[in-house]
Amino acid sequence: MSQKDWLEKDYYAVLGLKKDATDDQIKKAFRKLARQYHPDQNKDPQAERRFKEVTEANDVLSDPKKRAEYDQARSLFGSGFRFPGGGGGGGRGPSMSFEDIFSGGGGGASGLGDLFGGLFGGGAQQRGPRRGGDVETEVTIGFRDAAHGAQISVRLSSDTACESCRGTGAKAGTSPKACPTCQGSGMTARQSGGFAVSEPCSSCHGRGLTIDDPCPTCAGTGQGRSNRTIQVRIPAGVVDNQRIRIKGKGTPGASGGPAGDLYVVVHVTADALFTRQGDHLAITVPVTYVEAALGAEIGVPTLDGGQVRLKIPAGTKSGRTFRAKGKGIELKSGRTDLLVTVQVQVPEHLSPEAQDALRAYEALAGEGNPRANLRNGA
Ligand SMILES: [Zn+2]
Ligand SMILES: [Zn+2]
């Protein structure tokens, strides 16, 4: 049985029932007719065909979910509704493939949601498998997580069909009707200067449908939001504002098409000690004037909480950068470097004794005037 049969077949009539038949009535009617037309019992050549029809009708009507979808499809398309722009032939129903409409496969409801979403958005339905859309989201992670890589949860919110009305926009239990102004075509003709001009129907804004009783959940728009949370692996070494592509985690495809991709824009918070210079890690460390002048071996913190010893040669200028090889970030390609920039500290408060000592030092060092070679405008 294919779902496109739904619009052509009246399963209630097949079982000799009214549309409001109870589950019990459906069960009884099916048993009676199945016995009557069973090929083992009935040698009439038409019996086998009737038996198949009865079984098919029962398959749909005895399953509450399928029955609800069938009822909804029938009430929509049975009312003479035609697709906007489509050349559907009156009461015969629309001319497009119904596989497209029920593209949600087993889901059913999502297929209807796609249909109405497409119609209400004015977009044309495409045939065949369709790739799902790409989705972009943003996350903020800590500096160290960015350096080491991290597994994070990403909450994705996306447009979907309203759950209450399954995207129809009509209150539960009711259905959109073909627009009486345009008979469901979505277009009306107007005379203008001797020409007939076709324009979108003003009553239904080109939808071809009117809703008497709007769904209270979505206020008749048919649109809802769905939330899902997925786990995303942020690779080690990611930098601020980097865009990571996660294949197949975007919007699911339709009609067997592949899912779209998820793009995660990663914002990285600053660290109190470290910054990044490309793939390398960077840190600025204070040294005293004496350490810079005489040389020293200093301890520099590393990202993993340890320390690396760094030799500062005598006469090191403030702002000079040293490279501690392999003490940076652990990437797939190996561990990067730690770039250590020294900054000579100048004491703000000195005791009178220390001031005297500095003046004595200056006299001894005989450095002279360090600005002697600066000439203005030379
Ligand atoms: Zn709704
Ligand atoms: Zn209309």
Side-chain angles (χ1 to χ4, degrees):
M1 180 199 52
S2 131
Q3 283 168 319
K4 74 178 160 192
D5 294 340
W6 284 10
L7 304 179
E8 286 158 13
K9 296 187 178 175
D10 186 342
Y11 291 143
Y12 293 101
V14 167
L15 294 181
L17 294 167
K18 288 206 180 114
K19 236 194 122 234
D20 57 0
T22 64
D23 291 350
D24 208 41
Q25 286 169 329
I26 292 168
K27 200 188 284 177
K28 277 184 184 151
F30 168 66
R31 280 197 189 146
K32 179 170 161 274
L33 292 167
R35 264 200 302 274
Q36 188 180 335
Y37 293 113
H38 198 286
D40 292 348
Q41 312 280 328
N42 193 325
K43 298 299 169 198
D44 184 321
Q46 291 298 309
E48 192 178 342
R49 189 179 56 80
R50 284 283 289 142
F51 180 75
K52 276 188 187 148
E53 282 176 0
V54 165
T55 309
E56 186 183 313
N58 181 64
D59 280 348
V60 173
L61 298 186
S62 64
D63 178 333
K65 202 175 150 226
K66 276 191 202 162
R67 185 181 175 184
E69 283 169 20
Y70 172 74
D71 287 348
Q72 189 170 27
R74 292 279 296 179
S75 66
L76 264 175
F77 300 108
S79 60
F81 163 72
R82 278 178 295 150
F83 288 87
R92 187 71 189 114
S95 57
M96 68 186 281
S97 155
F98 285 96
E99 269 88 359
D100 291 345
I101 297 173
F102 298 103
S103 58
S110 61
L112 283 172
D114 285 351
L115 167 66
F116 292 115
L119 287 182
F120 291 171
Q125 287 285 306
Q126 292 168 0
R127 287 160 194 254
R130 270 175 294 145
R131 184 180 176 275
D134 292 338
V135 176
E136 187 170 293
T137 189
E138 296 179 54
V139 297
T140 299
I141 63 173
F143 184 90
R144 284 156 203 250
D145 280 345
H148 292 134
Q151 184 89 17
I152 56 164
S153 293
V154 177
R155 197 172 143 91
L156 294 176
S157 188
S158 54
D159 288 321
T160 183
C162 167
E163 273 187 27
S164 306
C165 62
R166 302 203 293 170
T168 67
K171 195 174 171 184
T174 71
S175 296
K177 304 257 183 314
C179 169
T181 308
C182 60
Q183 280 85 46
S185 71
M187 301 295 282
T188 48
R190 177 171 66 82
Q191 291 296 321
S192 169
F195 293 97
V197 179
S198 200
E199 58 188 10
C201 170
S202 58
S203 306
C204 62
H205 306 289
R207 290 174 174 181
L209 297 169
T210 57
I211 294 164
D212 296 335
D213 245 338
C215 165
T217 309
C218 62
T221 64
Q223 283 167 5
R225 301 287 287 170
S226 85
N227 292 302
R228 61 194 166 110
T229 301
I230 65 162
Q231 297 296 310
V232 171
R233 176 86 211 152
I234 303 289
V238 67
V239 293
D240 191 28
N241 294 324
Q242 193 169 329
R243 202 160 169 259
I244 295 169
R245 172 168 173 252
I246 294 144
K247 213 167 173 294
K249 294 291 186 183
T251 308
S255 307
D261 297 333
L262 170 66
Y263 289 91
V264 180
V265 177
V266 183
H267 299 292
V268 181
T269 57
D271 187 78
L273 295 182
F274 298 99
T275 58
R276 289 281 297 275
Q277 277 185 28
D279 282 342
H280 299 298
L281 194 63
I283 188 169
T284 297
V285 294
V287 293
T288 67
Y289 173 78
V290 176
E291 285 171 327
L294 301 182
E297 192 180 293
I298 59 170
V300 177
T302 53
L303 199 56
D304 53 24
Q307 265 204 349
V308 58
R309 304 297 296 174
L310 184 74
K311 271 208 167 90
I312 307 282
T316 292
K317 287 191 170 72
S318 188
R320 183 171 167 188
T321 299
F322 299 88
R323 182 180 295 265
K325 274 218 163 299
K327 298 295 179 183
I329 295 161
E330 189 74 58
L331 298 182
K332 266 190 194 147
S333 51
R335 196 159 168 189
T336 65
D337 302 336
L338 175 61
L339 306 176
V340 184
T341 302
V342 297
Q343 196 172 48
V344 175
Q345 296 284 42
V346 178
E348 286 180 44
H349 305 286
L350 288 173
S351 66
E353 293 80 5
Q355 291 178 28
D356 288 345
L358 270 184
R359 285 191 194 98
Y361 152 78
E362 193 176 29
L364 274 175
E367 281 176 340
N369 182 359
R371 292 167 299 280
N373 291 330
L374 301 183
R375 255 169 275 149
N376 203 7

